[in-house]
Amino acid sequence: IRDHVGWAWYQRTFYAPDRWLQKEGNPVRVFIHFGGVHHLSIIYLNGVQVGEHEGGHLPFQLELPRTVLNTFNILTVVVNNTLTPHTIPQGYVTYPNNTKSYPGGYRLYQHQCDYYDYAGINRPVMLFTTPAIYITGVDVKTNISTDYQGIVKYSVSTSADAECNIKLYNKEGALVTFADGCGGTLLVENPHLWWPAFTCNKTAGYLYTLEIYLSGGSGSGPDVYRMPVGIRTVSWNNTSILINNRPIYLRGFGMHEDSDIRGRGFDFAVMTRDLNLISWIGANAIRTSHYPYAEETLNEADEKGIMVIVEAPACSLKDFGDQLYQYHKAYLLEMMNVHKNRPSVIMWSLANEPYTNTEKAGFYFGNLTKVAKSYDSSRPVTFVTSQNVANDTAVRHMDMVCVNRYRAWYTDSGLTDLIEQQVMEEMRAWHDKYNRPVIVTEYGAGAISGLHTLPETMWSEDYQVVTHLEHFKAFDTLRQEGTIAGELLWNFIDFNTPQEYIRPGRCVKGLFTRERQPKHAAHTVRQRYLALANCSAELCEPYLDIV
């Protein structure tokens, strides 16, 4: 099944309580929520198709019609993992015309991503009910007034006309303010702001609770929805990204949802271990490379003050046609709608390492950026490039310049003495050309756990440490002169990849093994990240903050 490409079937049974089948009084509506299914899914209830969804890594939900729902039910989910040139990620099916090397009709399949493309139902599935008239969506935007009041603008969508009562509670459960109406503004005196982890002496990840009470009238019971709200602002200038008007230097890594046994299947224990390691190492930011992560993970990021760059699963895009653009656009809007209310989400990434060395690619990403900015102008929009300063045609449309570069690994392999000069020269060139914040979103070296060499050689833990230390020299200079706004290592953990001769069964650039144990470099990076946190704390006094 590891190499299966095509359809797969999931099926299970469940019993519906009598309350779900009731038609008189205040009947309920029954929904099924999928945390994520990769890639195309068709859902059947008792043999009747009730919906479908295309695009992995995003949650979606469907109503189960009362006409189909029984006391005893059979739920069937049919999933196809085949990617095409018009999906994100892209995939290609070819049939070699060489019967001497391949049997007749032999099919080859490859996808445009350098990680193992786990498929199927890989996140939780839940059944839930609502009243007949229910809350269909909430939009929240926060700000801080000039007289230091917290501003919470809200808009509630409902399935039919209804009345809304809004209450905002603090972290201790005390009522802070309230209002009537399904749209409006709440003002919070002396607000506790949402701050990233390790920011001065601030409490990281402070969250209020917004309670929405919906009165649906006769024939429908009330609907109550509670959601966390972090009061904070995101802004940027030509050197920095700012949270609550304070420049914040990003330090962290790109990650993957990947572990032994479960692969990309969501696991609370693995998530908890990952978040504990993020705190242990002193990081304040992650990039959801190369797809949006589970809702549960981002819930924890909200609470722990971990800044998140949410990235669409558009990896190594090429062939920028209109069909791909329409798919990419629809996915992007769905992704932004899912995560728009999260205080932890500070940036949208449209893609990772697309082939943006043609004018067609520049036009493609220029239009896509307009779509993203029209939906959400409160956060910067970017994509991650691996092209060079001279030939990239799309970075000019972005708010941030995000660059992946592996000095002394893919270029000048083994020559760590060149890293400092090469990194400084290139990052200065990006900043000089576009006059925007530059973030190094990937750098590093592979290290096989337990392999040590002296002098250090490639694939050893020692070489990985030296590679990082040489980058740190460049980063310190660039940070002090205002050239870069962040440094994100590749990768947090070792992760599974397609079978390739250039990787020993997996990508081993992780600071931690796939089993979540530290390599030597993890301790080196921890020392740096905690020192950067202390350095940032020294800059606290010049800024006037709210508690």
Side-chain angles (χ1 to χ4, degrees):
I1 194 171
R2 182 196 65 186
D3 299 317
H4 175 75
V5 179
W7 293 101
W9 295 68
Y10 296 79
Q11 191 171 80
R12 69 165 300 165
T13 60
F14 69 93
Y15 288 88
D18 292 342
R19 176 83 173 93
W20 292 11
L21 305 174
Q22 178 181 321
K23 297 181 180 180
E24 305 299 329
N26 293 324
V28 298
R29 303 171 78 156
V30 181
F31 291 82
I32 186 167
H33 177 93
F34 292 88
V37 183
H38 188 60
H39 177 76
L40 170 66
S41 56
I42 305 174
I43 298 90
Y44 297 87
L45 180 64
N46 299 322
V48 178
Q49 182 176 336
V50 294
E52 63 181 71
H53 183 266
E54 186 171 7
H57 318 297
L58 287 178
F60 64 95
Q61 61 194 41
L62 305 166
E63 185 169 6
L64 302 182
R66 188 179 301 278
T67 55
V68 180
L69 190 66
N70 300 320
T71 299
F72 176 78
N73 300 277
I74 301 175
L75 179 67
T76 307
V77 182
V78 190
V79 184
N80 195 315
N81 66 340
T82 308
L83 302 172
T84 76
H86 312 301
T87 62
I88 55 172
Q90 292 173 308
Y92 299 86
V93 176
T94 57
Y95 295 88
N97 187 22
N98 182 355
T99 56
K100 292 183 178 180
S101 299
Y102 303 92
Y106 195 85
R107 180 178 67 170
L108 295 175
Y109 175 74
Q110 66 181 74
H111 51 73
Q112 288 293 108
C113 41
D114 59 358
Y115 54 88
Y116 188 81
D117 193 40
Y118 290 102
I121 302 175
N122 47 32
R123 292 175 185 167
V125 181
M126 295 174 284
L127 292 166
F128 69 96
T129 64
T130 71
I133 299 176
Y134 64 99
I135 299 164
T136 59
V138 183
D139 184 75
V140 173
K141 289 183 171 60
T142 66
N143 207 333
I144 309 165
S145 69
T146 55
D147 58 349
Y148 302 111
Q149 284 187 315
I151 301 171
V152 180
K153 293 184 178 181
Y154 65 91
S155 176
V156 181
S157 303
T158 61
S159 61
D161 290 341
E163 296 180 357
C164 297
N165 177 261
I166 310 296
K167 294 181 180 179
L168 188 71
Y169 297 90
N170 65 18
K171 197 170 187 177
E172 292 70 37
L175 179 64
V176 175
T177 185
F178 61 92
D180 291 324
C182 293
T185 300
L186 300 174
L187 298 179
V188 181
E189 299 290 340
N190 299 317
H192 291 272
L193 300 186
W194 186 95
W195 286 102
F198 302 101
T199 303
C200 303
N201 58 348
K202 305 301 181 185
T203 300
Y206 190 96
L207 296 174
Y208 291 84
T209 298
L210 184 71
E211 179 184 273
I212 304 164
Y213 186 94
L214 186 72
S215 301
S218 61
S220 177
D223 192 15
V224 181
Y225 184 72
R226 299 175 182 89
M227 60 178 287
V229 171
I231 300 176
R232 62 99 178 96
T233 62
V234 178
S235 57
W236 57 98
N237 53 33
N238 64 340
T239 60
S240 306
I241 186 166
L242 299 92
I243 305 296
N244 305 328
N245 295 321
R246 176 188 298 282
I248 300 291
Y249 186 74
L250 275 60
R251 57 187 187 275
F253 16 70
M255 301 178 66
H256 266 298
E257 290 183 323
D258 181 281
S259 66
D260 278 341
I261 310 300
R262 291 187 183 272
R264 193 164 296 139
F266 179 78
D267 187 304
F268 276 105
V270 172
M271 179 196 73
T272 301
R273 173 66 172 175
D274 287 351
L275 291 164
N276 287 341
L277 291 176
I278 290 171
S279 296
W280 174 83
I281 209 167
N284 65 3
I286 63 172
R287 175 168 66 110
T288 69
S289 43
H290 300 297
Y291 40 82
Y293 290 174
E295 296 170 281
E296 293 82 356
T297 301
L298 269 66
N299 289 343
E300 291 296 315
D302 288 338
E303 190 166 332
K304 293 181 179 295
I306 300 169
M307 294 178 288
V308 181
I309 302 172
V310 175
E311 186 164 271
C315 199
S316 303
L317 286 190
K318 58 183 181 180
D319 305 326
F320 299 95
D322 184 65
Q323 193 172 346
L324 175 66
Y325 174 79
Q326 295 301 331
Y327 188 101
H328 198 163
K329 173 184 172 182
Y331 188 99
L332 177 65
L333 291 173
E334 185 178 357
M335 179 184 82
M336 296 173 76
N337 184 61
V338 167
H339 297 300
K340 63 186 176 184
N341 293 327
R342 296 188 178 279
S344 62
V345 176
I346 63 164
M347 197 180 310
W348 305 112
S349 173
L350 308 179
N352 176 71
E353 297 186 356
Y355 289 87
T356 50
N357 55 349
T358 65
E359 285 303 321
K360 188 175 183 180
F363 180 78
Y364 178 99
F365 279 99
N367 286 336
L368 204 60
T369 302
K370 292 177 183 177
V371 170
K373 300 294 285 185
S374 66
Y375 186 87
D376 180 13
S377 61
S378 68
R379 296 176 175 93
V381 174
T382 189
F383 77 93
V384 177
T385 186
S386 60
Q387 302 297 313
N388 60 53
V389 180
N391 71 359
D392 192 291
T393 63
V395 164
R396 67 180 186 267
H397 301 295
M398 303 300 133
D399 297 312
M400 301 274 166
V401 180
C402 292
V403 183
N404 292 351
R405 194 70 76 226
Y406 292 91
R407 300 295 180 182
W409 190 256
Y410 295 128
T411 60
D412 294 314
S413 303
L415 304 180
T416 55
D417 57 313
L418 298 177
I419 291 174
E420 182 179 5
Q421 176 184 340
Q422 291 181 354
V423 170
M424 288 196 297
E425 289 290 332
E426 182 182 10
M427 298 310 147
R428 285 169 176 162
W430 283 109
H431 190 268
D432 290 346
K433 183 172 183 177
Y434 295 106
N435 194 30
R436 292 166 199 173
V438 177
I439 301 173
V440 181
T441 38
E442 289 185 25
Y443 71 97
I448 298 173
S449 179
L451 177 62
H452 292 276
T453 59
L454 184 66
E456 64 278 351
T457 56
M458 294 179 70
W459 299 105
S460 69
E461 290 194 41
D462 313 276
Y463 187 88
Q464 187 181 45
V465 168
V466 171
T467 299
H468 292 160
L469 289 173
E470 291 300 316
H471 277 86
F472 296 162
K473 294 177 185 178
F475 294 160
D476 283 340
T477 300
L478 295 168
R479 179 173 57 88
Q480 291 166 7
E481 67 187 26
T483 299
I484 63 172
E487 55 188 76
L488 303 181
L489 268 158
W490 189 259
N491 189 284
F492 176 61
I493 58 161
D494 294 346
F495 59 90
N496 197 13
T497 62
Q499 297 187 76
E500 300 169 302
Y501 62 85
I502 63 170
R503 294 186 177 93
R506 61 188 61 175
C507 175
V508 293
K509 292 190 179 79
L511 294 176
F512 301 91
T513 66
R514 201 177 186 214
E515 296 74 31
R516 273 60 179 178
Q517 297 302 325
K519 300 179 189 176
H520 188 183
H523 298 278
T524 304
V525 173
R526 180 174 189 257
Q527 185 177 15
R528 173 171 178 78
Y529 282 1
L530 293 177
L532 285 173
N534 291 333
C535 178
S536 299
E538 294 172 2
L539 302 176
C540 289
E541 293 308 317
Y543 296 91
L544 181 61
D545 295 326
I546 305 170
V547 176

